[in-house]
Amino acid sequence: MVGPPGTGKTMLASRLPGILPRLTEQESLEVTSMHSVAGAVDPSHGLITRPAFQSPHHTATPVAIVGGGSGMPRPGAVSLAHRGVMFMDEAPEFSPRVLQTLRQPLERGQLVISRASASAVFPARFQLVLAANPCPWGNAAGRGERCTCSSLQVRRYFSRISGPLLDRIDLQIDVLPVTALDVAERSRAEATTFVAARVAHARAAAA
């Protein structure tokens, strides 16, 4: 999603888990196991039954994203997002090295992490959502009248997201500022439960 600050990119991404179907028993076991290994599960809450939502900060390291560490490898954010959503806000601000680590899990749905003392295979089948401003300063929406960035600055900004990674992004949309007319027509908006029902019907048909 590309759009200036304040247009609702983060809000839209955070609502995505709410329209996804609940996890099956097998999926719940997978997801809860990953969170347990990472020490991020509360035993009193039982199995995790809703799709997870991970939103790492743009300063996150490759180890934080894909896992690893000294000694026994531990799962990272992509494995904690297994069967759920991985949201990366301000995607061009992430280190290119971090972004490149996403290619393997997006292709294979799992990560193989090898260390001198041990090797581990972690599941990482997630929906990746990226958000970015239209330019480094975020003012190039619409006709870009408020933008002072040069075309070279804009190209450099987006070039941090490599072509091979963009090839794995199925949908690319512009998220424009909300107008007064949009607000006036808000009665046409649908509740999450209605959208979730359509998603469940589509998932059932695909299965």
Side-chain angles (χ1 to χ4, degrees):
M1 296 183 288
V2 179
T7 55
K9 301 186 296 296
T10 300
M11 183 191 69
L12 287 171
S14 64
R15 297 301 184 272
L16 187 54
I19 68 173
L20 296 177
R22 286 184 174 272
L23 302 176
T24 65
E25 183 178 0
Q26 180 60 41
E27 291 169 346
S28 293
L29 290 171
E30 293 175 1
V31 173
T32 306
S33 295
M34 280 299 94
H35 284 251
S36 179
V37 170
V41 67
D42 185 349
S44 64
H45 291 168
L47 291 176
I48 297 172
T49 60
R50 296 295 309 180
F53 181 79
Q54 290 288 312
S55 181
H57 193 261
H58 64 81
T59 58
T61 64
V63 171
I65 298 297
V66 299
S70 58
M72 180 63 70
R74 295 168 62 89
V78 293
S79 293
L80 296 180
H82 180 57
R83 304 291 184 184
V85 177
M86 173 84 161
F87 175 55
M88 304 181 78
D89 198 9
E90 305 290 351
E93 299 294 337
F94 280 81
S95 162
R97 184 180 171 205
V98 167
L99 294 173
Q100 289 305 312
T101 61
L102 297 174
R103 291 170 57 182
Q104 182 190 23
L106 286 174
E107 284 181 357
R108 303 179 183 178
Q110 66 178 21
L111 273 165
V112 179
I113 301 176
S114 299
R115 295 292 183 267
S117 58
S119 180
V121 179
F122 296 131
R125 190 174 299 279
F126 56 92
Q127 292 195 39
L128 176 65
V129 181
L130 305 179
N133 290 328
C135 68
W137 294 105
N139 295 321
R143 291 178 293 179
E145 295 172 345
R146 297 173 53 207
C147 181
T148 58
C149 299
S150 67
S151 58
L152 179 60
Q153 286 176 309
V154 174
R155 285 199 300 271
R156 283 177 176 171
Y157 178 68
F158 281 103
S159 67
R160 295 173 65 89
I161 304 177
S162 68
L165 179 57
L166 284 176
D167 287 342
R168 292 163 175 79
I169 305 297
D170 297 317
L171 299 174
Q172 298 181 30
I173 61 172
D174 293 323
V175 183
L176 300 177
V178 177
T179 65
L181 179 61
D182 296 327
V183 175
E185 295 181 344
R186 66 185 182 277
S187 59
R188 296 188 302 177
E190 292 182 296
T192 297
T193 53
F194 289 101
V195 181
R198 289 207 308 275
V199 173
H201 179 73
R203 287 286 188 96

